[in-house]
Amino acid sequence: MKIFFLGDIVGRSGCLSVKKNLHKIIKKNDINFVIVNGENAADNGLGITEKITNELFDSGVQVITTGNHVWDQKETAKLIENEKRLLRPNNLSSGYPGNGFEIFKVGDFKIGVLNLMGNIFMKKCEDVFQESINFLSKYKLKKDFDFLVVDFHGEITSEKMAIGHLFDGKASLVVGTHTHVPTNDTRILSKGTAYQTDAGMCGDYNSVIGMDKNNSLNRFMKKNSVKHFPSEGEA
Ligand code: FE2
C-alpha cells in the first residue's frame, strides 16, 4: 500500500500545482491513496470551497483534512455534512457538523484517516490527548482498519511529537500540518509508526508560509498592509 500525504495546500498556486502534478506523481510512484490538508486551499488562503474540494478529488485526492480554518468559507458547514471525504478535526467541541474520522476502502484494504488539532496556540478545541486516548480505546489497528493515518494539525513541535509517541504502534503514520514548514525529522518511531512533525505546504515558497511576503513583512513591521493573501508564484 502506498499512501501519499500532502501538507496544507495554499491558495490558487497550491491548487494549480496539485492539479498539474498529482496524476503524474500517482502514476509514476504507483500510489494507492492520497490525503491532502486543504484548509488553506480557497483563493484567499482561508478554508476550502465546494468547487475546490471537487477539483482536488478530480485531481486524484481521496481524502481532504483540515484544521483551524475549516469553517472560514460559509459553504463548508453544509458541504461537510454530505461529503465524507472531507474531514474536520475530530476534537472540535460537540455541535459542529461533519466528522474527524472515517474509514475508506481501497481494494481489499481499509484505511482509517483521523484528523486532530492541537491545543497550544490554536483555536479552542477539546483536549487532543484525551481525544486520542478515547479514540484508541475504541479503534484498533489491524482490527478496525489495515492502516491508520493521523493528520495532527498543530502549531508546536513538542505537542506533535508527543502525539506521535502516543500513537506509536497504533497508527501507520502520524504527520503534522499547519506550520507550512516541513521538518527534517522523518522517521520510524520505536514501535513502527512513521512520523514527521510537519509535512510543509503546497504553496509558493517565495513567501511567508504561503502568504505574500511584502504584505506579511509590512504587517509584522506595522506598516501599511492589508489582510494576508496567498502568494501567487509557482508552488
Ligand atoms: Fe492551520
Side-chain angles (χ1 to χ4, degrees):
M1 177 65 63
K2 283 194 181 176
I3 298 171
F4 188 52
F5 186 93
L6 290 172
D8 312 40
I9 296 170
V10 183
R12 223 170 280 159
S13 85
C15 288
L16 267 178
S17 178
V18 171
K19 276 192 237 171
K20 192 171 141 198
N21 298 305
L22 186 56
H23 278 304
K24 280 184 255 174
I25 294 169
I26 291 170
K27 207 169 163 215
K28 190 173 165 214
N29 298 282
D30 285 323
I31 289 162
N32 306 99
F33 198 74
V34 178
I35 306 165
V36 301
N37 186 296
E39 75 145 17
N40 303 115
D43 286 356
N44 65 355
L46 300 170
I48 189 165
T49 62
E50 182 167 9
K51 183 169 172 274
I52 292 169
T53 300
N54 291 326
E55 284 172 359
L56 291 176
F57 290 141
D58 290 342
S59 305
V61 170
Q62 266 87 27
V63 180
I64 302 170
T65 55
T66 56
N68 51 306
H69 289 296
V70 60
W71 310 123
D72 286 359
Q73 301 291 328
K74 275 195 194 115
E75 64 199 71
T76 311
K78 193 161 176 267
L79 170 68
I80 210 166
E81 281 185 348
N82 300 314
E83 180 49 82
K84 298 255 171 277
R85 297 171 294 173
L86 177 63
L87 300 177
R88 45 79 164 169
N90 208 38
N91 55 321
L92 294 185
S93 309
S94 59
Y96 284 100
N99 293 307
F101 170 69
E102 204 60 61
I103 298 171
F104 302 92
K105 277 209 83 172
V106 181
D108 294 334
F109 295 104
K110 281 190 217 165
I111 302 177
V113 181
L114 173 63
N115 196 178
L116 294 172
M117 185 156 79
N119 297 121
I120 303 169
F121 301 141
M122 299 297 284
K123 278 183 186 157
K124 197 169 161 42
C125 56
E126 300 298 328
D127 185 310
V128 70
F129 290 90
Q130 192 54 54
E131 175 72 31
S132 302
I133 289 163
N134 295 348
F135 178 88
L136 289 169
S137 66
K138 207 164 150 199
Y139 295 104
K140 299 272 179 281
L141 184 63
K142 305 294 171 198
K143 186 173 154 263
D144 298 293
F145 30 71
D146 302 282
F147 305 91
L148 175 64
V149 177
V150 181
D151 172 356
F152 182 72
H153 198 77
E155 186 68 52
I156 72 161
T157 50
S158 56
E159 191 186 30
K160 287 166 157 172
M161 213 172 272
I163 285 287
H165 289 298
L166 186 66
F167 278 90
D168 190 13
K170 295 163 183 164
S172 313
L173 165 68
V174 176
V175 61
T177 55
H178 180 67
T179 70
H180 298 195
V181 179
T183 55
N184 189 17
D185 64 341
T186 316
R187 59 200 159 122
I188 306 292
L189 301 175
S190 63
K191 293 175 192 153
T193 295
Y195 175 82
Q196 187 171 326
T197 299
D198 203 298
M201 68 167 178
C202 302
D204 178 5
Y205 267 70
N206 187 17
S207 69
V208 174
I209 65 166
M211 298 293 144
D212 183 87
K213 64 179 182 184
N214 294 320
N215 188 57
S216 188
L217 261 171
N218 285 341
R219 282 181 71 94
F220 276 113
M221 296 190 292
K222 306 205 174 12
K223 287 186 189 166
N224 252 352
S225 62
V226 295
K227 263 180 118 177
H228 286 299
F229 59 94
S231 188
E232 300 232 313
E234 195 179 348

